[in-house]
Amino acid sequence: TDDVMVYASWSKGFKSGGWTTRLSEPILDGSEAEFKPEYNKTTELGIKSQLFNNRMLVNAAVFYSEYSDIQLNVQQGPSPVMQNAGDATIKGVEVEMQAIVGGGFSFNFAGGYIDAEYDFVNPDTLIPATASLPKTPEYKFTVGPVYEFGLQNGARMRLRADYTRTAEMFNDSLNTPELRRPASDALAAAVHYLSPSERYEVVLGGTNLTNDRYLTTGSVNLGAGQISGTYNRPREWYL
């Protein structure tokens, strides 16, 4: 219809193989540095809609992906080595909503749930058989309410907040405990002043207002006994 579209798709693709160019020690056989292509097949069902005289947008999708020979960086001694870590099944759902409620209120919402598991772990890698896929939180959602109102001089004020919740995840393929990122919260807010002529706008806002700190990247150097990581940005403000 003009307001609702339902779709289904099936696709497959690959990521080409190659050779690791950073090695911890000389090799005699070039195949030791080689990694094979990664393959994926994905099925997706979804809906896209604009409802209530275009006052609400709702998009949703469910997907199912099968990966084979998935490529991941695995730390070997002092060197990160690209390897075919194994096979994995990834399935989940995503939802996106935007709505104009009325009275100056509107909101945005986006959320996703993902179930990602190894079906097979390559025993030639150092990845534990019970490991989780890196950088893959089980869920993540964002809520963003907005309130806008007019002033007597014809200007407008807009108040906005954004809250994001992300489940725990691991930053590396080895699932190093020190590099685990716990469930995290991110809160941002801003006040907008839009001039009567709309020739200028002034915004005062802040990000990571809860000052929640967590690792966003990480690596482990087994040869040197070193674990390093990078933290997210702290509480900040802007004008």
Side-chain angles (χ1 to χ4, degrees), residues 19 92 129 131 143 162:
W19 291 268
V143 180
D162 290 286

Side-chain angles (χ1 to χ4, degrees), residues 3-237:
D3 298 329
V4 179
M5 181 187 76
V6 178
Y7 69 91
S9 71
W10 182 86
S11 57
K12 67 176 182 177
F14 75 98
K15 185 189 296 182
S16 62
W19 291 268
T20 295
T21 56
R22 182 179 176 185
L23 299 168
S24 57
E25 58 185 20
I27 59 173
L28 300 178
D29 183 357
S31 64
E32 296 178 24
E34 183 181 1
F35 56 92
K36 298 183 294 183
E38 168 188 298
Y39 295 93
N40 172 244
K41 296 178 181 179
T42 297
T43 302
E44 181 174 332
L45 301 174
I47 183 172
K48 296 182 182 292
S49 62
Q50 290 179 288
L51 309 173
F52 308 114
N53 196 26
N54 293 333
R55 296 178 66 89
M56 176 177 284
L57 178 149
V58 180
N59 298 332
V62 294
F63 59 90
Y64 183 90
S65 296
E66 293 180 320
Y67 281 88
S68 59
D69 291 323
I70 190 168
Q71 296 173 4
L72 290 177
N73 255 320
V74 180
Q75 194 74 22
Q76 288 188 312
S79 301
V81 178
M82 185 66 75
Q83 295 183 348
N84 297 104
D87 304 333
T89 298
I90 300 177
K91 53 186 180 288
V93 59
E94 295 178 340
V95 178
E96 174 192 13
M97 295 178 62
Q98 300 176 13
I100 300 173
V101 181
F105 286 97
S106 61
F107 78 92
N108 302 309
F109 171 84
Y113 169 81
I114 191 166
D115 179 12
E117 293 183 351
Y118 285 109
D119 300 318
F120 164 75
V121 176
N122 186 349
D124 294 333
T125 69
L126 300 177
I127 298 176
T130 57
S132 300
L133 287 164
K135 301 288 188 181
T136 312
E138 184 178 23
Y139 64 85
K140 181 177 182 179
F141 66 86
T142 299
V143 180
V146 180
Y147 176 56
E148 186 170 320
F149 58 94
L151 303 177
Q152 290 185 349
N153 65 350
R156 290 180 294 133
M157 296 288 293
R158 181 183 301 143
L159 310 178
R160 179 174 191 132
D162 290 286
Y163 169 73
T164 301
R165 174 74 173 180
T166 306
E168 71 169 3
M169 70 179 87
F170 287 94
N171 279 300
D172 70 326
S173 57
L174 297 179
N175 286 189
T176 305
E178 292 85 351
L179 297 178
R180 183 183 71 91
R181 170 178 162 176
S184 60
D185 301 290
L187 177 63
V191 179
H192 299 244
Y193 175 84
L194 297 90
S195 69
S197 63
E198 298 187 350
R199 290 178 62 87
Y200 66 88
E201 178 181 358
V202 179
V203 184
L204 173 65
T207 57
N208 192 16
L209 296 178
T210 58
N211 202 34
D212 200 13
R213 307 305 304 275
Y214 48 83
L215 289 166
T216 58
T217 65
S219 62
V220 53
N221 188 330
L222 301 177
Q226 173 186 328
I227 299 174
S228 60
T230 305
Y231 280 86
N232 67 317
R233 299 171 73 93
R235 182 189 295 115
E236 296 178 301
W237 67 273

